[in-house]
Structures are given as C-alpha cells and as structure tokens.
Amino acid sequence: MKRRTLLLLALMLPALCGCQAQPQSIYITEPAPTYGEPLVFETALEGQTQPEDRQAALEASFQSADGTVEFSFHIDQELPAGDLRILEAVPRPITGEDAQKLAQVVFPDCTFYDQEPQSSKLYSKEEVERNIALYTKYSDLSALTELYGSSAREQSIYVAHYREFWEKQLKKAKKENPHRLCDWEFKPDMYYYDIDQRDENNYWTEIYALTRKGDVEYLLSANKSTNPKNRHQKLGISVDGELLTHQLGWYSLVNGDFPTPDQVDQARERAQNILDELDVGRWRVRNAQLRPSDLVDGMCIEVEADMLLDGMLIPNRPGMEDGFAYSGVSMVLNSKAELAYLDLWNPMELKGTVTDRPNLLSLDELFAQAGERLTNATASDRFGHDMFPLHIEEERAGERLTCKVDVTKVEYTMARMKAPDDADTFYFYPELTFSGTAGYYGSETGTCHITCEEAPLFSISALDGELRVF
C-alpha cells in the first residue's frame, strides 16, 4: 500500500478565510434529471491515475461560518479505494417466494396463516377461550400493573372492552381452525382493509401472514407500491396482537432484558445470517446497539444494515428521492438473538457497469471540497440524527443548540442518482463517506441534549464534490 499523509491546509483554509459565502443549507436541492435528458459521465483520460489505496491521517478542527457547528477530524487509517466505477442497477422485485422464505428462515417450525379482511375475521373456539382467560386474568389490577406499570388503571377500561368482545365471539367461534394457510400471493390492500377508497388507483399490493410462537404473535408482511410518486417495496416482521396480546408479546421477548456486549455481538451475527440466508439483495450490518424498549422495562438490540452493490457499500439515507425511497434494513432482537422486528426496504440488483474509468476527484481534492462545503453548514442540517427540525428541539431544550461533529473514519461508498431514460434504472457513483459522532449542546448551559452513536455523517461526491448530509 502506498502510504501518504494528507495535508490539512486545504481543509482548514475555507474556515480561516475572511471572504466567506453566507451560510446556506447544504442539502441538495437541485431536481434530478427528467426522463429523456442526456446524462454523460466524463471518462478519465488515458494515463490519468485513478484514486488508489493509501494511508489517511487527518487532525483538524474548525467551525462553520455561522458558528453553530464545530468540526473535529481525528483520522488515522488505511483507505482502500477498491474498484471505483459507475454502476447501473434496478429494483430487485420482492416476491411471494421471498416472503415465504423469510418465514422459513426466521420461524422454521411455525405455520403461517393468511390475515383475513378486517370485516370478516374468523376465530376458533380454542382461540376465543384462550383470549377470554387472558383478559379475565388481567382484569385484576395488580396483574395489569405488572404489565403496564403506572398506566394500568387507564388500560383497565380497554381490557374490560376486549373481554366483552371475546365473550361475544364464543357463540360464533368455529370448533376447528378456520384460518387458511398463507398462499404467499400479493393481494390489493383493499382486500385486507375493506376500504374501497383507500387506494383508488390500486397502487398497493400486500401479503399479511400471521403465526404464533410461544406467547408471541407475529405478523409477516410484504408490500409493493407502483405509484410513480412513491414507488416502494418492503419485507417486514413485527410483534402482532391487540392490546394485551401485543403487550405480552414484547413482555415475553424483552422485559427485564439487559443484553451483555457478547449478546449484542451474537445478535449482530444472527442479523447478518438472516440477511445472507434470505438472499433478497446484498446487505452488510453496520452497527448493533442497545436501546430502551418502548413498551416494557428492558433493553433490546437495534441493528441496521446497508446495501452492497457489486461489493460496494451504499449507506442508507433517510427519506426518498426521485419517487423511490433509499435502500436499507432495520432489525430489533433480544438478548437471546430472537428477532422481534425487521424492516427491509427497496433492495437493488446490479444491471451493469456504465463506465469503469470515471473521471473522479482525487482524495486531496475531496478533502479540500469537504472543508469548503462544511463552512456553509448550520446546526439545522442535523448531522447524524433523524430528529425534529432544530427549532422544535430548541423549544424542548429551552435554549439555542449548537452542534459538535467528531469525524473518525472515511471510506469510499456509492451514492444514487436517477437514470434519465428509464423509470426503473438508477446509477450508483463513488463518493467519500465520513463517519463519526455528533452531539447537540445548549449554547448557554453547555448541556448535551442530543447524542448519536457512531454513524455515517456526510459524504462528498467523487464526481463533483457535492456534499450530502445523512
């Protein structure tokens, strides 16, 4: 590997220069090319060197022009360049076979049934009697308090309502299991919701399948939308049930759970194994971290994964562009590496290579562009966070907030743009992604109000130096 220490002067000069542009948003606002417009990528000249593997060592600190963001760079790492090309990809269709395979991978010993339409749900006698016994047990306030804590008295009203509902179902309940085995076929969403006006253009088709494992009811879903303004497809698993059954599901999985570091690692490995075995797109687990359970007293393990395209990483970004959401995976597991939640959306598959020798900015030029562009950043750009707009967060904090960004890692990844001549084709081009942590602090008290775990923060396009904030 060629070793080289990158000079920081180009990075720091924009922050030190007295003639600076006025602060402005650094989110990309230019519209994507419309269909039919030509889009040509410059090819590197013969003999022109491409970015190569090198050693990156960066130590620098500076502020944005408006003083609301403080950047610190602490990088000392090898930076592989890999095979930097411009790739062409299309959405990888999610099928009923994919949904069935997800069921087999995660719940190999469980049987899945089709969810009936809301207006014509069926129940077996055993199912109704089990729910009557459950809601009778939790009619006792002490038992309900163990499950719901301080909100138990409020929940008791709903417990009484559901107990009455299940007692009424007993006369209509079937002696045998009335549920149909899941056929893994997509159906219009109106089939499930009985609402004729829900999707008048029939953009959405879905699969909803139910199973039970121990005390936990699960919903497995597959969704597809052909709406040109909101094209989307997703596979999902979640804890299902109504009121007590939903709460008891989370209680059974997570209550009292405080996973150890080894268990977090095991959950990370389990998540990666699920994605590899599922084989719906290629994914790489980025991080696994503890987070409080929303419903019970305990911690669960949240795992996120980014898409791989021909071995290159495409970091997940929030939101949607060109009418198509970005690709990503989110999962929640417990200390036993049991899956409680999965959301896999918009996988892509490689179509080909647009050019294998694109004209790319050098690493020195990319760092210089980073310094120049970051001086126009503001705290409202929300580095590293999917949070409310800054003014709302400041109202919560009761003071003005400033941001501190600590960058500790860089890597070449790929970014997405819409191909102009095909609604289903996207180009993926090289970018340099900067990762680290970001925190929001009160300007008066110095109190840290918002923090983030290590994650991608921003990237610089290797084509033109454009900056994107994650």
Side-chain angles (χ1 to χ4, degrees):
M1 167 172 294
K2 180 179 178 181
R3 298 181 61 87
R4 181 177 176 184
T5 300
L6 297 176
L7 297 177
L8 298 178
L9 184 58
L11 183 64
M12 299 180 66
L13 274 177
L16 301 175
C17 178
C19 300
Q20 297 172 345
Q22 290 300 310
Q24 57 189 20
S25 173
I26 57 178
Y27 284 108
I28 290 180
T29 57
E30 290 297 320
T34 56
Y35 301 148
E37 286 186 0
L39 188 60
V40 178
F41 296 102
E42 293 184 18
T43 302
L45 300 176
E46 193 67 32
Q48 183 176 342
T49 60
Q50 294 289 89
E52 56 188 12
D53 297 357
R54 61 199 294 182
Q55 183 76 12
L58 293 143
E59 285 290 335
S61 298
F62 62 91
Q63 285 190 330
S64 61
D66 70 349
T68 63
V69 187
E70 180 182 323
F71 296 97
S72 296
F73 290 77
H74 306 286
I75 297 171
D76 187 5
Q77 65 172 85
E78 293 182 353
L79 179 60
D83 188 9
L84 299 180
R85 298 173 289 154
I86 295 177
L87 303 175
E88 195 174 21
V90 295
R92 192 281 198 193
I94 288 177
T95 66
E97 288 77 12
D98 295 328
Q100 185 176 21
K101 187 171 184 179
L102 177 61
Q104 294 167 348
V105 168
V106 180
F107 304 104
D109 301 321
C110 294
T111 302
F112 278 81
Y113 298 95
D114 268 327
Q115 177 179 291
E116 294 107 1
Q118 286 183 331
S119 61
S120 54
K121 287 189 175 182
L122 302 173
Y123 306 102
S124 67
K125 185 175 181 181
E126 182 275 333
E127 194 175 0
V128 173
E129 289 176 341
R130 183 176 69 242
N131 278 288
I132 291 174
L134 178 67
Y135 281 88
T136 299
K137 173 183 177 181
Y138 284 96
S139 296
D140 179 75
L141 189 60
S142 61
L144 198 61
T145 300
E146 182 180 347
L147 194 61
Y148 279 101
S150 60
S151 64
R153 192 170 296 278
E154 178 184 345
Q155 297 296 332
S156 65
I157 300 173
Y158 303 104
V159 170
H161 169 79
Y162 273 102
R163 179 182 175 183
E164 182 180 349
F165 167 82
W166 287 112
E167 288 173 342
K168 289 180 179 179
Q169 298 301 314
L170 192 57
K171 291 182 180 180
K172 299 184 290 183
K174 308 291 183 182
K175 185 175 181 180
E176 304 296 331
N177 181 3
H179 305 298
R180 294 186 305 175
L181 292 174
C182 183
D183 58 11
W184 306 110
E185 296 288 337
F186 280 90
K187 302 174 180 64
D189 67 345
M190 289 181 292
Y191 168 83
Y192 293 105
Y193 297 105
D194 304 312
I195 303 175
D196 292 340
Q197 292 80 23
R198 178 176 171 81
D199 184 359
E200 60 184 12
N201 294 306
N202 294 320
Y203 287 132
W204 282 94
T205 54
E206 299 168 324
I207 295 172
Y208 288 116
L210 302 170
T211 196
R212 185 180 184 89
K213 183 179 179 181
D215 293 329
V216 189
E217 297 179 6
Y218 292 95
L219 171 69
L220 188 151
S221 61
N223 317 88
K224 295 193 292 189
S225 169
T226 57
N227 185 338
K229 296 181 180 179
N230 180 21
R231 293 162 60 230
H232 191 80
Q233 51 179 356
K234 186 183 74 169
L235 279 173
I237 290 174
S238 59
V239 175
D240 198 46
E242 297 173 336
L243 194 65
L244 279 181
T245 48
H246 182 263
Q247 186 77 6
L248 280 169
W250 277 102
Y251 190 90
S252 173
L253 286 169
V254 179
N255 190 65
D257 232 2
F258 296 92
T260 66
D262 283 346
Q263 289 172 326
V264 172
D265 290 340
Q266 291 166 10
R268 178 201 297 268
E269 183 178 353
R270 171 61 176 153
Q272 186 67 64
N273 289 340
I274 289 173
L275 295 174
D276 292 343
E277 192 173 350
L278 181 59
D279 196 26
V280 178
R282 294 286 182 267
W283 308 92
R284 188 176 80 187
V285 168
R286 181 196 336 137
N287 64 348
Q289 60 190 26
L290 295 177
R291 73 165 176 83
S293 170
D294 296 331
L295 297 175
V296 297
D297 181 23
M299 304 287 286
C300 49
I301 304 165
E302 186 176 56
V303 178
E304 294 179 303
D306 296 318
M307 189 173 68
L308 293 170
L309 194 63
D310 199 28
M312 290 296 294
L313 187 71
I314 295 94
N316 176 36
R317 304 174 188 273
M320 176 178 294
E321 191 173 38
D322 309 312
F324 201 79
Y326 288 100
S327 306
V329 175
S330 178
M331 306 170 79
V332 174
L333 302 93
N334 67 1
S335 63
K336 299 177 183 177
E338 296 174 306
L339 185 69
Y341 175 85
L342 178 142
D343 207 356
L344 182 158
W345 59 95
N346 296 335
M348 292 274 181
E349 59 187 0
L350 186 66
K351 185 177 179 181
T353 299
V354 178
T355 175
D356 58 4
R357 280 187 55 80
N359 187 21
L360 302 176
L361 298 173
S362 70
L363 197 54
D364 300 88
E365 291 172 319
L366 290 174
F367 277 109
Q369 289 284 350
E372 181 178 346
R373 305 268 181 160
L374 290 172
T375 59
N376 291 327
T378 69
S380 61
D381 288 316
R382 298 183 288 180
F383 288 89
H385 299 284
D386 182 16
M387 64 188 209
F388 287 104
L390 186 65
H391 71 277
I392 295 179
E393 299 290 359
E394 289 179 331
E395 288 178 4
R396 288 179 171 181
E399 59 181 326
R400 182 170 167 265
L401 297 180
T402 59
C403 181
K404 293 183 180 180
V405 175
D406 187 17
V407 181
T408 55
K409 179 184 176 182
V410 291
E411 63 180 324
Y412 280 106
T413 61
M414 303 286 270
R416 192 186 84 186
M417 70 169 64
K418 185 72 193 66
D421 54 353
D422 187 340
D424 290 323
T425 300
F426 295 83
Y427 295 144
F428 288 83
Y429 59 91
E431 63 177 354
L432 191 65
T433 293
F434 297 72
S435 298
T437 59
Y440 281 77
Y441 296 80
S443 58
E444 297 177 6
T445 66
T447 301
C448 182
H449 293 280
I450 306 170
T451 60
C452 80
E453 300 290 334
E454 184 168 329
L457 299 171
F458 57 88
S459 65
I460 299 287
S461 166
L463 296 179
D464 57 12
E466 188 122 39
L467 187 143
R468 293 174 182 260
V469 175
F470 285 86

